[in-house]
Amino acid sequence: MAKNLKLKSARASKDMSQKALAEAVGVTRQTMNAIESGDYNPSLKLCIAI
């Protein structure tokens, strides 16, 4: 179960895939997946981009 449910629900509300959001902010889909699952804490710069 994803720990970052706010990010996941916000992404879903914009009808974006993990890949689409990752490409929009300049990271890999795997990084976006790790952020959503709580395995990676993004930098402040990445948080702002997201």
Side-chain angles (χ1 to χ4, degrees):
M1 184 169 153
K3 291 185 179 180
N4 200 334
L5 296 176
K6 284 186 179 183
L7 175 57
K8 187 172 184 176
S9 65
R11 177 178 57 76
S13 75
K14 298 288 186 185
D15 199 31
M16 292 184 84
S17 65
Q18 281 184 343
K19 183 178 179 186
L21 179 55
E23 288 175 355
V25 298
V27 298
T28 65
R29 185 203 56 79
Q30 290 87 345
T31 299
M32 197 56 60
N33 183 54
I35 293 168
E36 286 187 7
S37 65
D39 294 331
Y40 178 76
N41 290 320
S43 66
L44 182 57
K45 183 178 177 181
L46 180 53
C47 289
I48 291 169
I50 293 171

